[in-house]
Structure formats: C-alpha cells, structure tokens
Amino acid sequence: MQFSKSTDYALHALAYLANLNPSGPTGIKQLADVLNVSESYLSKIMTNLRKDGLVNAVPGAKGGYELAREASRISFLDVILAMEGRQQLFECSNTTSKQHSMLVQETPASGCRIKRVMDAAESQFFDYLSNQSIQSVISQ
C-alpha cells in the first residue's frame, strides 16, 4: 500500500503551519515555495484539508491558511482520510472460489478468516495513525 503524494504534501503543509502557529495565516505562494510544489496542486490539497476541518482559509491580502485546531488534535489518520478517502484497505474479492468457501464453511458465523486477519491489521494500523499527531512530529 502506498499513499499518494497529496498525502505527503498535506502532512508536510500541516507540520509547517504548526511550526508557524500562532504567527497568522500563511499564503499559498509561501507554502508552495516551502514545499517545492505548484500553487495550483497545493490549492487542491488545502481545499481537501479545509473541507475536512483541518485548516481554515483566511480571505484577504494577508490571508492564507492556518490550522483549524491545535496540532496536537490533528492526527495522521485525520489527514490520510481527508486525502485518500474513507475506504477499507482490504476487500475479500475471491468469494466465489472453492478455497474461500472452505474457509467460511469452517467458521460460518465469523466469515472469511483471511478478511478477519486483514481487518485486524487495518484496525491496528489506523489505531497507530490516530495516535500520531502533527504536534508529535514537530516536537521530536
């Protein structure tokens, strides 16, 4: 599994904004220069972060973006979900095979054993990311 570059830029943008806090909003040009990315690409990323309530867009000549809440209250999982969407990482798609039927037949009440393992791994992965905040990486 690989996250998109948008997620990478979003995490770095939030860390940069957290480092500047509370110096006021940061313009898209400054942020794009620091991240070495185009303003138009970064604008799309920041729009996603704004829609998910992670940043505020401040209008005006001295406007820009600022964190919508404390960096300690923005988890990596929040950012990943804002950028990648809210979908399950694993879907058992081999449901018509004999092998799948055999696994489910042995434990019908609990479903496919492979899916259970993958769901447990996803849960641990998401738990870990939900406990890592933007503040935790800038405080190290």
Side-chain angles (χ1 to χ4, degrees), residues 61-131:
K62 295 190 181 209
Y65 291 95
E66 61 187 10
L67 297 181
R69 56 185 186 246
E70 295 173 11
S72 62
R73 294 184 44 232
I74 300 174
S75 75
F76 272 52
L77 184 60
D78 293 334
V79 180
I80 290 166
L81 293 176
M83 300 310 301
E84 304 290 337
R86 289 153 175 82
Q87 57 191 10
Q88 254 188 322
L89 299 180
F90 180 80
E91 182 179 331
C92 192
S93 56
N94 196 15
T95 59
T96 59
S97 74
K98 291 178 185 175
Q99 172 63 22
H100 183 270
S101 297
M102 182 185 75
L103 289 172
V104 174
Q105 221 172 37
E106 293 175 14
T107 57
S110 56
C112 179
R113 288 186 274 169
I114 291 172
K115 178 142 176 52
R116 280 188 307 185
V117 169
M118 297 303 286
D119 286 350
E122 180 179 316
S123 178
Q124 289 179 17
F125 180 59
F126 284 174
D127 284 348
Y128 178 78
L129 291 171
S130 69
N131 288 312

Side-chain angles (χ1 to χ4, degrees), residues 1-5 84:
M1 172 184 172
Q2 184 174 357
F3 295 116
S4 68
K5 289 184 189 264
E84 304 290 337

Side-chain angles (χ1 to χ4, degrees), residues 16-28:
Y16 183 75
L17 293 175
N19 263 333
L20 293 178
N21 196 27
S23 66
T26 303
I28 193 72

Side-chain angles (χ1 to χ4, degrees), residues 2-76:
Q2 184 174 357
F3 295 116
S4 68
K5 289 184 189 264
S6 295
T7 296
D8 179 19
Y9 289 126
L11 289 164
H12 280 86
L14 292 171
Y16 183 75
L17 293 175
N19 263 333
L20 293 178
N21 196 27
S23 66
T26 303
I28 193 72
K29 181 175 179 16
Q30 178 184 349
L31 201 49
D33 287 345
V34 168
L35 297 175
N36 197 29
V37 64
S38 76
E39 289 180 45
S40 63
Y41 182 51
L42 187 57
S43 289
K44 292 174 186 173
I45 292 168
M46 299 309 286
T47 297
N48 283 346
L49 295 175
R50 184 187 53 74
K51 286 179 182 175
D52 269 39
L54 302 177
V55 297
N56 292 323
V58 179
K62 295 190 181 209
Y65 291 95
E66 61 187 10
L67 297 181
R69 56 185 186 246
E70 295 173 11
S72 62
R73 294 184 44 232
I74 300 174
S75 75
F76 272 52

